[in-house]
Amino acid sequence: QVLLVESGGGSVQTGDSLKLSCAASESTFSNYRTAWFRQAPGKEREFVTIISGSGRSMFYADSVKGRFTVSRDNAKNSVYLEMNSLKPEDTAVYYCAAELGSILPPSSRSRSNPNSYHSWGQGTRVTVSS
């Protein structure tokens, strides 16, 4: 497992932007595919996006496609989530998750299943007010 620490959350208004960071303890972080999930109060944890270990492949949930961008800098052992045009429905605790294996699973069900990831951060809260 790899230790993950998220940062960058905060309180913003509708239409604003935020950039979340996920720092990993593992120096070979490129060996891990990494995802972002979020969990709103009273709701189940929801898949947001995933990026391959190389950073060349990614998938997004339909709810964030075109607004959110995932990227990584393996030299800094970090993955980022840039969130633009934020909406109140984006309010949630955002979690970084990683799994050994740089290639993305072909199955969307596998990519979006929280049980597919063994390493999780503690989460960072994002609040979007109208």
Side-chain angles (χ1 to χ4, degrees):
Q1 288 191 355
V2 57
L3 294 178
L4 303 171
V5 178
E6 302 96 333
S7 61
S11 296
V12 296
Q13 295 191 327
T14 298
D16 284 351
S17 299
L18 272 178
K19 186 173 183 178
L20 307 183
S21 299
C22 171
S25 62
E26 179 61 55
S27 61
T28 56
F29 196 39
S30 60
N31 291 337
Y32 291 79
R33 51 186 176 267
T34 308
W36 287 95
F37 286 78
R38 65 186 182 185
Q39 189 164 18
K43 294 189 176 181
E44 292 187 350
R45 195 162 293 192
E46 174 191 24
F47 170 81
V48 176
T49 183
I50 185 174
I51 187 168
S52 64
S54 67
R56 287 193 287 266
S57 299
M58 59 280 289
F59 288 93
Y60 296 91
D62 288 343
S63 58
V64 305
K65 202 172 294 183
R67 299 189 299 122
F68 290 12
T69 302
V70 63
S71 62
R72 67 190 302 154
D73 184 343
N74 287 330
K76 296 183 178 179
N77 301 327
S78 294
V79 168
Y80 307 99
L81 182 64
E82 187 162 2
M83 305 184 295
N84 298 315
S85 302
L86 283 162
K87 305 174 182 180
E89 50 263 44
D90 295 318
T91 294
V93 177
Y94 284 71
Y95 296 91
C96 177
E99 182 66 16
L100 187 62
S102 60
I103 305 299
L104 298 185
S107 164
S108 62
R109 178 176 293 183
S110 177
R111 293 192 298 264
S112 62
N113 186 350
N115 294 326
S116 298
Y117 304 86
H118 287 88
S119 299
W120 289 84
Q122 83 291 346
T124 185
R125 186 175 302 276
V126 173
T127 302
V128 185
S129 57
S130 56

